[in-house]
Amino acid sequence: VTCPADRYARAARQALAAGAAAARAAGYSVRAIGIGSQAQTFLALDRAGRPLQPAVVWTDNRAGREALTVARAIPDFARHSGFNQPLGLLFLPKVIHALRNGTLRRERVDKFLLLNEYIVRILTGHAYGDEVNQGMGGFYDISRRCLSKRALALAGIKSSQLAEVGPAAAISRPLTIDTARRIGLPSPVPVFSCGNDQSCGAAGASLSGTGDILCNFGTAMVVYSVRARLPTRLARNQIAGIDPLTGRYFLLGVENECGNIIDWAHATFFPKLSIDAMLRRALAWKGPPESLPVINFHGNGRFDLDGITPATDGAIIVRAILSHFGHAFAELVRTTGGRHTRRAIVSGGLTRSSDWCAFFSVCAGLPIKHAPAKHLGLLGIMRIIGRHGQDRRGLSR
């Protein structure tokens, strides 16, 4: 649940250098750099910009007790930060935890930065980010669109100890001359912070609240919709926040298990077949639904299968898994997409299977359209910069 800070910095420089080289080879010039992130991973820096400890990765959940403290102090957390209740995974409880247990000493910390903000700091020498990522961490009040005095007081830190925050791609600084040289660019270009991975993907699909939803079938199953108003009554599996492309709000519903369970079934029952062939065989089963095994998920990849015997065919187990996810998907569409949903735009590795897409289209009662690009987040970052980004020379326009 921690990672050396220099690993992120090194990986970012290597990736950007490879991107710049590919652009040159294709005859393009680089006009801007945009950054998206899964958020929640954070680092603490001293006044010289040196990390005071390894990065605390977003999957770290040691701040459960501090999450309860946040819940008592900010009872309207759904309206404040877009989660039904505070989680130990979030930025605010993690910072409180690190300061309480002595991992960090308050007087030594100059900045607490999310990962996207740290990479921006590495590239430009300035610490800034966006309200999409900050809005999912607890320090930023998404209803008021500003840093929260309640959250800052609870953590015992100053607003100056966080990054400068603005709408997605509203703030930019140029690469340092040294960084531009190391990456292989002839001159510095502006760097923008554009949002989290799911919201950048929605921007890539041009989601704007017109009746479309974005459905990502990856490790998790995610349904994303754009809303005119901030949703404040959230289910356990829903997250709300600020949409980076439209400036309105998003509502996101998630089923944490999906691709990882399909991978397990493939490796366990059909290792010699492709995943597409496995799905085709499972969906060809036409027995009564009540005869399928029952699946109970417990989270973190743990689940029970009831009603199987040593003679149960693997295709029937896979069919039961698909049935479970089909019902979960239909419920996510109903609760997150809403009654005005007309179409699902789908992305993620599993959507390469036409059988998968056809099955889930029937489950939700919606037509399905494939996303316009394989890497929607990259396309979304480009669109966000094109709509909102502006440096002093207007290059991003």
Side-chain angles (χ1 to χ4, degrees), residues 1-16 35-43 51 53-60 94 113-120 122-123:
V1 293
T2 62
C3 183
D6 63 346
R7 185 177 297 177
Y8 289 115
R10 185 169 61 250
R13 291 189 183 104
Q14 289 172 349
L16 289 169
I35 294 176
S37 173
Q38 284 184 303
Q40 306 308 314
T41 295
F42 89 93
L43 301 95
Q53 97 284 31
V56 181
V57 181
W58 72 271
T59 50
D60 175 89
K94 284 177 177 175
L113 300 182
L114 292 172
L115 181 56
N116 59 307
E117 298 161 351
Y118 173 66
I119 298 300
V120 165
I122 289 291
L123 298 177

Side-chain angles (χ1 to χ4, degrees), residues 261-262 264-265 269-270 278-279 281-283 285 287-297 303-308 312-328 356 359-360 363:
I261 304 300
I262 297 296
W264 167 82
F269 302 112
F270 299 101
M278 175 189 77
L279 296 173
R281 180 177 293 189
L283 291 169
W285 181 83
E290 60 269 18
S291 67
L292 288 171
V294 176
I295 302 176
N296 296 301
F297 285 93
F303 62 96
D304 297 326
L305 280 168
D306 297 329
I308 64 171
T312 302
D313 187 270
I316 295 177
I317 296 177
V318 176
R319 182 66 177 79
I321 291 170
L322 290 174
S323 180
H324 171 86
F325 286 139
H327 288 300
W356 175 277
F359 174 73
F360 281 88
C363 289

Side-chain angles (χ1 to χ4, degrees), residues 215-280:
C215 309
N216 184 271
F217 295 100
T219 301
M221 177 194 300
V222 178
V223 172
Y224 185 108
S225 66
V226 176
R227 300 295 181 92
R229 294 181 178 84
L230 173 61
T232 55
R233 298 183 64 181
L234 303 176
R236 176 188 52 80
N237 63 340
Q238 290 181 321
I239 303 169
I242 299 169
D243 181 71
L245 185 66
T246 65
R248 293 189 284 178
Y249 294 97
F250 70 75
L251 180 62
L252 180 154
V254 60
E255 164 71 51
N256 286 320
E257 315 292 354
C258 185
N260 54 340
I261 304 300
I262 297 296
D263 286 341
W264 167 82
H266 179 238
T268 303
F269 302 112
F270 299 101
K272 295 182 179 180
L273 295 181
S274 66
I275 286 183
D276 201 25
M278 175 189 77
L279 296 173
R280 195 175 303 118

Side-chain angles (χ1 to χ4, degrees), residues 7 29 53 78 94 109 133 153-154 176 193 200 203 330 351 356 358 390:
R7 185 177 297 177
S29 60
Q53 97 284 31
K94 284 177 177 175
V109 179
N133 277 313
L154 195 59
T176 65
S193 184
C200 288
T351 60
W356 175 277
Q390 197 171 19

